[in-house]
Amino acid sequence: MTTKEPGAAAPVDLSAFIPADTAVLDILAPGSAAPIGWRITFAGPGHPKTIAFNEAKNRETLHRNRQIEMAQINGRKYKPEERSVDEARRENVQWVAARIVDWTPVTLKPGAAPIAYSEKAAVDIFVDPDLGWVYAQCLDFLVSEQSFTRTSAKA
């Protein structure tokens, strides 16, 4: 083993490992590996949509923490706001819906009008218990390290 002086090595280029700005998920039929034709484009970790959502959530958390701290300083009990089960479910899926850039239009019933992407439409679909399998695929895609890894960086 040879040792080199620190700084003598060539610099390591990390550019190939910077996540892609967007990535496309092909939704698969439940219990199958067959794509159904619905393609959802998600914002990567450095995409402006992702950054904006994360910053908004951080501001909410800081505000809530400030309210708790002020209540404690003033000797009052902090009472968290009441939320319904539906509100909590919608808030949980908001993270996934906010990362969507676009999708191919879909229909939920034969002959129904196609649903174009909007954040509201995404939340409505993701909270539908009959379409939980779609939400699960989207969530798995977003938390996978490989989803936004550029092709040239994959081993």
Side-chain angles (χ1 to χ4, degrees):
M1 176 182 205
T2 59
T3 55
K4 293 183 179 181
E5 290 183 36
V12 177
D13 181 9
L14 298 179
S15 63
F17 300 98
I18 294 172
D21 203 37
T22 60
V24 177
L25 168 66
D26 287 303
I27 298 296
L28 308 176
S32 167
I36 62 172
W38 188 13
R39 302 188 80 196
I40 302 176
T41 303
F42 284 99
H47 190 281
K49 275 192 83 162
T50 304
I51 292 169
F53 179 80
N54 290 340
E55 287 177 354
K57 280 299 179 188
N58 287 337
R59 280 191 300 277
E60 285 177 23
T61 300
L62 289 171
H63 178 71
R64 186 173 46 254
N65 290 345
R66 208 170 22 255
Q67 288 179 319
I68 292 169
E69 184 179 348
M70 292 306 294
Q72 290 171 338
I73 288 172
N74 294 323
R76 295 180 311 205
K77 271 186 151 178
Y78 174 76
K79 185 178 178 188
E81 59 184 74
E82 294 285 325
R83 295 185 318 168
S84 69
V85 173
D86 185 57
E87 288 171 327
R89 188 178 304 120
R90 285 181 176 280
E91 188 174 307
N92 289 339
V93 302
Q94 188 65 39
W95 176 72
V96 175
R99 296 276 305 266
I100 297 174
V101 175
D102 199 12
W103 69 31
T104 53
V106 294
T107 58
L108 298 179
K109 295 178 182 166
I115 301 170
Y117 168 71
S118 74
E119 213 164 294
K120 182 191 178 319
V123 170
D124 290 345
I125 287 173
F126 293 155
V127 297
D128 184 338
D130 291 334
L131 298 170
W133 55 275
V134 174
Y135 176 66
Q137 287 182 43
C138 292
L139 191 58
D140 289 345
F141 182 80
L142 284 174
V143 299
S144 171
E145 195 174 291
Q146 295 296 320
S147 296
F148 295 94
T149 302
R150 297 176 191 272
T151 307
S152 61
K154 293 181 181 176

